[in-house]
Amino acid sequence: GGEFPGAGGKMSPNAFASVVNIDLLGTYHVMRAVYPYLQRPGGCVLNISAPQAQVPMLAQAHVCAAKAGVEMLTRSLACEWGAEGLRVNAVVPGPIAHTEGMARLAPTPELQAACAQSVPMGRLGEVDDVANACLLLASPLASFITGVVLPVDGGWVQGGAAAVAAQFAGFTRPVD
């Protein structure tokens, strides 16, 4: 999603807008494009959010704003489209091993280890953890679930995310 660390007061408007355009407007454009083709009833949309939507993080104001928008878009369209039998949910992957997000935000083994230690379950997630949550939400088992923003993060947003996020950006105190 165009994620990069950047101090809010020093980031260019273009840099901020690029993340909003990719994350929030990109999600909107895809949802708008698929809307006419969704099976009624029973159609399902799954959006991808990020912990930054729920946890303020240093040098991530652009991602925080964009992903909070994705979560509210998910909830709003779940309400709007529910009458047509359509479901709209989102998944919030936490720190997932061997992903581009981890490579960008925690590029060193030390940062990845600190991140894993900050997860209440004591490990980084796996790609299959996110895939399994998506499979559940897209399945008939979730036929009465809509408007849900489901963290798949081992409890990371409950404690640990904000503390280790400062290390991701290389900050030990507030920026600007």
Side-chain angles (χ1 to χ4, degrees), residues 69-149:
V70 168
E71 291 188 10
M72 192 51 69
L73 179 65
T74 298
R75 290 182 179 106
S76 296
L77 292 183
C79 290
E80 189 175 314
W81 296 358
E84 299 177 53
L86 301 174
R87 297 180 300 110
V88 183
N89 294 298
V91 173
V92 184
I96 306 298
H98 315 295
T99 62
E100 185 177 340
M102 283 301 293
R104 285 185 185 184
L105 293 176
T108 67
E110 295 79 19
L111 280 175
Q112 289 190 15
C115 188
Q117 290 171 355
S118 72
V119 175
M121 291 189 75
R123 67 174 179 88
L124 298 177
E126 298 293 331
V127 172
D128 283 349
D129 295 324
V130 178
N132 289 336
C134 291
L135 286 171
L136 170 67
L137 288 174
S139 79
L141 295 172
S143 66
F144 199 58
I145 298 174
T146 194
V148 164
V149 176

Side-chain angles (χ1 to χ4, degrees), residues 33-73:
V34 303
Y35 174 77
Y37 303 101
L38 294 170
Q39 178 182 348
R40 287 159 175 82
C44 164
V45 174
L46 292 176
N47 293 322
I48 303 297
S49 188
Q52 289 91 327
Q54 301 161 24
V55 179
M57 294 187 185
L58 296 172
Q60 293 284 295
H62 51 316
V63 179
C64 293
K67 290 300 189 175
V70 168
E71 291 188 10
M72 192 51 69
L73 179 65

Side-chain angles (χ1 to χ4, degrees), residues 14-39:
N14 189 49
F16 189 94
S18 70
V19 172
V20 171
N21 285 335
I22 291 167
D23 289 354
L24 178 55
L25 291 177
T27 300
Y28 167 75
H29 289 303
V30 169
M31 291 180 74
R32 185 172 182 266
V34 303
Y35 174 77
Y37 303 101
L38 294 170
Q39 178 182 348

